[in-house]
Amino acid sequence: MDAELTVPEAVGVVHPARAAITRRVYVEAFGCQMNFLDGELAVSRLSDHGWARTADAEAADLILFNTCSIRDQSENRVWSRLGALRERKARDPGLLIGVMGCMAQREAAQILKRMPHVDLVCGTRRFQEMHRLVERAETEGQVLAVEVDGFVDVVRDVRIRPERHRAYVSVMRGCDHRCSYCIVPRTRGTQVDRPFDDVVSEVRRLSADGVREITLLGQNINTYGRYLPDRPTLGGVIRAVDQVPGIERIRFLTSNPMDIEDELLEAMAETPAAAGYLHFPAQHGHSDVLRRMYRGYSRERYLEVCETARRLCPGIELASDLIVGFPGETEEEFEATRSLMETVQFKQVYIFKYSPRPGTAAAEKLVDDVSDAVKRDRKNELLAVQERISIARNQRLVGTDVHVLVDGPSPRNAARLSGRAEGSHMVIFDGSEDLAGRFIRVRVERATAAALYGTLVPGSEH
Ligand code: SAH
Ligand code: F3S
């Protein structure tokens, strides 16, 4: 049996009648979690119209790349992948090739011009029409759909998702900030919030289908609700999602520290399911650089938020994104990022070399004057700092019990199980495979920078 074609039965959910499966779509997402979710949502629409997902690009009738524009290399990767399909399309003219996501939005008609074998370019707010766009591409030839006005009405078959026990749910799209390095407001448009009840009802349907961990998504998620009539907040969504039976862990991405208010941290503190982990990108440790980035907060303000988060949610793990080599970054400014890492002691950081993006304020007004070699050295230096911090932080957990959502066999050693603790640590332990999707406690015995190793606490599963 073709595993890709089986759709698990939903529990207590009514779905529209499904057309017979006639064709296969291969979707590959690049970049952020929102792209992974949007790829799933596009497949969900297609699946109502006779399409099934395949993991094998060679067997696909439609190849869809869900693209990222955040750095130059993100786009280069897609250009070369598209180029590589030229020959296959010549061999198999019936094959459809589609590009969606941020690069589709940004490059738009350029993609169709540079890659004439591409059939369909679908912007960041049009993927819910994927079935119609594909039909048009078949009958009319190349299709360009990149308008960004308006709301994305999420129509979702909750059964179509890659992980049984975890799911992403979008709460808003777009961003009204203009951080000077960032292309996202141009590719994803201005902020549009999803109605509160839609979000909660999607979570209910997901939980009825076995989901236990929800990750709420938005480009600037802490300003959620500012455009809705009764001004709900992200804190309110967290409280409501926590009330949904079966949901035991709640994450959210991504938060601009400028907009983090105590109300959100208080909601996290009152909701143990959400209190273990907070990813809120600092981007830099020096207030002058933060000013050039138009981030809207200083180093001191950032540290204050970290302190409040730790006071209200004891044991919380903090994670961050950091950019090295922003225009004009001096050695002293770079050192401030290192010292921020030492001060905060993040659980995890994602470090990026600055990449000028066309049309952004930094690309237009500032000179990209830090050489690639210096950017690389600075990135490597920070990675080494974090490695040391991660080991020390993880070792503090040796001898304690952590609360783990079990994923299944460990990717590195299938004889063991792996899962994620409340602070988002990877945890490796022995146990039976049928624990997948359950919560358990693990007594930590050993820790590296990347993972915690321990023993299942008997009788702790639920
Ligand atoms: N919405 C998020 C940002 C999403 S982009 C926020 O508010 O912070 C993900 C990460 O990519 C950013 O946090 C940033 O660290 C990095 N990034 C964005 N633009 C970049 C650029 N031009 N060059 C290098 N890294 C960049
Ligand atoms: Fe980008 Fe800043 Fe918005 S990093 S997504 S412009 S908050």
Side-chain angles (χ1 to χ4, degrees), residues 279-299:
H279 180 161
F280 69 132
Q283 309 298 0
H284 208 275
H286 199 292
S287 296
D288 289 351
V289 180
L290 290 170
R291 211 169 294 123
R292 301 205 288 281
M293 289 178 163
Y294 303 167
R295 284 293 281 178
Y297 55 89
S298 62
R299 174 190 177 97

Side-chain angles (χ1 to χ4, degrees), residues 83-115:
L85 286 175
R86 199 186 302 262
E87 204 180 298
R88 167 136 180 236
K89 177 86 174 191
R91 260 191 290 125
D92 175 9
L95 172 72
L96 291 164
I97 301 172
V99 184
M100 56 185 281
C102 284
M103 182 177 159
Q105 191 68 51
R106 203 179 80 75
E107 294 279 356
Q110 278 306 313
I111 298 179
L112 298 176
K113 209 164 139 202
R114 207 170 135 183
M115 300 280 163

Side-chain angles (χ1 to χ4, degrees), residues 312-329:
L312 294 177
C313 309
I316 193 168
E317 293 286 359
L318 305 175
S320 188
D321 297 354
L322 296 166
I323 295 177
V324 293
F326 188 75
E329 186 185 58

Side-chain angles (χ1 to χ4, degrees), residues 391-428:
I391 292 177
R393 272 201 87 70
N394 287 352
Q395 282 181 346
R396 290 177 332 148
L397 294 170
V398 171
T400 68
D401 289 356
V402 287
H403 190 216
V404 177
L405 173 55
V406 182
D407 285 323
S410 156
R412 291 247 183 101
N413 174 0
R416 310 200 75 191
L417 293 180
S418 82
R420 290 272 168 184
E422 54 270 61
S424 198
H425 312 85
M426 166 155 335
V427 183
I428 312 287

Side-chain angles (χ1 to χ4, degrees), residues 65-320:
F65 289 145
N66 197 357
T67 58
C68 172
S69 289
I70 207 81
R71 283 166 290 277
D72 201 29
Q73 69 180 45
S74 328
E75 293 196 350
N76 289 341
R77 199 173 308 145
V78 173
W79 283 123
S80 77
R81 293 291 299 280
L82 286 173
L85 286 175
R86 199 186 302 262
E87 204 180 298
R88 167 136 180 236
K89 177 86 174 191
R91 260 191 290 125
D92 175 9
L95 172 72
L96 291 164
I97 301 172
V99 184
M100 56 185 281
C102 284
M103 182 177 159
Q105 191 68 51
R106 203 179 80 75
E107 294 279 356
Q110 278 306 313
I111 298 179
L112 298 176
K113 209 164 139 202
R114 207 170 135 183
M115 300 280 163
H117 57 293
V118 168
D119 299 281
L120 158 67
V121 170
C122 167
T124 52
R125 295 208 177 167
R126 303 292 302 277
F127 58 86
Q128 288 281 288
E129 300 158 43
M130 190 56 82
H131 52 296
R132 283 198 289 274
L133 300 176
V134 168
E135 238 176 71
R136 271 180 51 203
E138 286 178 304
T139 52
E140 299 166 22
Q142 286 190 319
V143 170
L144 179 66
V146 290
E147 297 76 9
V148 285
D149 300 336
F151 178 64
V152 177
D153 189 15
V154 175
V155 182
R156 179 175 195 177
D157 180 339
V158 294
R159 294 173 297 182
I160 303 215
R161 56 173 201 277
E163 289 188 282
R164 297 304 313 143
H165 313 294
R166 294 200 165 89
Y168 293 127
V169 171
S170 71
V171 303
M172 50 92 80
R173 287 173 182 273
C175 179
D176 288 348
H177 286 305
R178 290 291 177 272
C179 300
S180 64
Y181 53 81
C182 182
I183 193 78
V184 169
R186 302 177 140 255
T187 59
R188 294 243 169 215
T190 51
Q191 176 169 341
V192 182
D193 296 326
R194 204 169 159 205
F196 186 90
D197 292 345
D198 282 11
V199 172
V200 178
S201 89
E202 188 174 311
V203 171
R204 282 214 186 88
R205 289 189 296 126
L206 285 161
S207 112
D209 197 38
V211 168
R212 307 203 72 186
E213 175 180 309
I214 292 286
T215 301
L216 303 167
L217 295 181
Q219 273 78 34
N220 187 36
I221 198 166
N222 3 34
T223 52
Y224 169 74
R226 60 155 67 147
Y227 297 117
L228 291 173
D230 40 4
R231 315 249 338 199
T233 60
L234 178 62
V237 177
I238 290 172
R239 290 185 169 101
V241 169
D242 187 49
Q243 294 302 308
V244 175
I247 302 300
E248 296 200 33
R249 189 168 282 165
I250 305 164
R251 306 265 191 244
F252 56 92
L253 292 168
T254 312
S255 311
N256 184 322
M258 181 193 330
D259 301 306
I260 290 211
E261 290 179 7
D262 287 358
E263 189 261 339
L264 171 63
L265 298 173
E266 282 157 14
M268 291 173 73
E270 285 164 28
T271 313
Y277 181 76
L278 176 62
H279 180 161
F280 69 132
Q283 309 298 0
H284 208 275
H286 199 292
S287 296
D288 289 351
V289 180
L290 290 170
R291 211 169 294 123
R292 301 205 288 281
M293 289 178 163
Y294 303 167
R295 284 293 281 178
Y297 55 89
S298 62
R299 174 190 177 97
E300 290 66 37
R301 171 67 190 143
Y302 185 84
L303 290 173
E304 214 175 274
V305 178
C306 294
E307 221 179 277
T308 313
R310 288 215 164 111
R311 179 166 48 76
L312 294 177
C313 309
I316 193 168
E317 293 286 359
L318 305 175
S320 188

